[in-house]
Amino acid sequence: MKLLLVSALLGCLATAYAAPAERNVKWCVTSNQELQKCKDLEAKAAQFSCVKRDDSFECIKAIKGGEADAITLDGGDIYIAGLHPHNLQPIIAEDYGEDSDICNYAVAVAKKGTDFGFNNLCGKKSCHTGFGMSAGWNIPIGALVTEGQIKWAGIDDKPVESAVSDFFNASCAPGAPKGSKLCQLCKGDCSKSHKEPYYDYAGAFQGAFIYQGGCAQKILKLSLPSASETSEILVREVFRATGCPVTSFPTCFLLRSHDEHQQNHTKMCANSFVLKHGFNLFSSDGYAAKNLMFKDSTKKLVQLPMNTDSFLYLGAEYMSTIRSLTKAQATGSISRAMKWCAVGHAEKTKCDAWTINSEGNGGSMIECQDAPTVEECIKKIMRKEADAITVDGGQVYTAGKCGLVPVMVEQYDAALCSTPGEDSSYYAVAVAKKGSGVNWNNLKGKRSCHTGLGRTADWNIPMGLIHNKTNNCDFTKYFSKGCAPGFEKRSPFCAQCKGSGKAVGDEDKCKANADEQYYGYAGAFRCLVENAGDVAFIKHTIVPENSDGNGPTWAKGLKSTDFELLCQDGTTQPITNFRDCHLAKVPAHAVITCPETRGMVVSFLLEQQAKFGSSGSDPSFKMFQSYNGMNLLFKDNTKCLQEIPRERNYQDFLGEEYMIAMQSLRKCSDSTSDLEKSSTFHSCQQKQ
């Protein structure tokens, strides 16, 4: 897959993607001013050349086609570039210094003393940085559509630009259809390039003071000169529509936005480039325009986490806004089935059975999407390729960092299904074979069995406790080896994994799904039973569920009394004493989804469990029962699903103690997944 090259520097590249050092990197520009700056840079750097196209979309196509390599892009264009068939990927971001990090605030600004606010913009003149751009179009127009100020039913009604034209008296939105009201106030050709004087941040700000009455809707970077003297921000609030000073932008904004600029060759040093070549990459002085190739306010470039794509980079909040501008009317040809994400072959098989049994007059109620890991399912949900999945607490944490929300929780006490009370929870425990001599204080050097990397009872809790004791993030220095599905195969934490059982070429070994026989709670216990480990980190119900005549074939003949709990004080206790001997009490598994699909998911699951739940009306399928495995889609001991109140976010659901443990463990980089790193790369994302 080709990568989106945004902010590519030369000369001081330390290429992690093995691009030849002598390769000529072709930078795409969209105006004569940018071309001149690019040519001046080309004269300083032999490996650099310039390619000119009419606009950013043409540059995206040029990069996809191999005719160009790099361009800086706004978030709206980053979104477009990430879609099929372009499939481009951001790698490097601009950083604007300590005060702004790599985040900008999207704000609506008008002349100081105007008598209107954000809630009464209808009929005003508007200036936008560019049609389809983040802060100047997607965020404000998305906000106006979401709040019902711009009346728009979707693309089957009319194009969104027509609805915006009807809302404003006149506008300048460079890149909009020429001849439309959205180009009426533009000074030049209304192109999405510096050929249009009112293009980009400074251009939109300039336009706001050209026309009598002011342009109402426009977004700028608040470093523009004299902005605080002549303008004020329009507050987005339903019951208040007053102005506030431009200097109040951290608390007075429409939506946090990222000024999205990245690339393909990785680590680079802009400051060294300036010193070596005598060329200021982050200045447009002398070119009769601003923000050429890079934003002029850029201080440095920052490498993004590996595997960051455009959707992860933009974030769930921004993606929700984008979707509000691309909504389509429901038609008979569009499936309204719930898309459930299954992890691995065994879950997909059960999900397919659910699909068959949910057939009705209007077709199936559920469609099955599948992915190799929970994290890939989370990505699918973020992209709207799937709607929901059930995950454990550690995965609720990661999903929450990605902007998803927990909406229903598994309840393991049947009595509480009819009389809701406290959320279900379970105990994270450490288990060893009775008489083995293993205890909490002598675990160092032992072999460990975990349900999966990043999961609650078996990784986050025990490793958090171990980290607090040792202050060492390298857990391979603590345990000699083990099985923690989700690690790379060469890790010591994959050495004891069993895989699917194939004699050779077992691609499922150490995979974080049910095809790895030591994955999950029962799998971690099996790892201990079959002498692959000395201690298993599981939940308190697993031993009785897989012994004393219970459980699958491998558990046949096991007695629960042959195992014991490891207490934190160094003693051991019988399996039944989990209330007094445990590592932590943790929340039950929960269903996660996007905020905007919350109501649909809850309604669907309430209806489905009435039919296929523990006491459901249709015996043809059981949601909470697994046939070719254990705990597929839901935990097998689930009695019902209960709605999590809308006001409870993922932090509230997980609880203060669990959040403290997670934040402590997150000091260890290796314990943070690539997905979570990508989703919390921006400080503005971390504040969600």
Side-chain angles (χ1 to χ4, degrees), residues 454-476:
R455 295 187 60 172
T456 300
D458 75 293
W459 186 266
N460 296 336
I461 296 300
M463 296 317 210
L465 292 171
I466 290 169
H467 176 258
N468 285 339
K469 181 171 67 173
T470 65
N471 201 32
N472 188 344
C473 290
D474 186 357
F475 298 118
T476 63

Side-chain angles (χ1 to χ4, degrees), residues 581-601:
C581 179
H582 58 260
L583 305 183
K585 188 177 181 181
V586 296
H589 291 203
V591 177
I592 56 169
T593 188
C594 289
E596 63 265 32
T597 55
R598 174 195 175 90
M600 178 180 72
V601 171

Side-chain angles (χ1 to χ4, degrees), residues 11 59 95 146 215 340 396 398-399 408 411 471 543 581:
C59 279
D95 189 319
T146 299
C215 281
W340 198 270
V396 168
T398 297
M408 297 200 83
Q411 175 58 258
N471 201 32
V543 175
C581 179

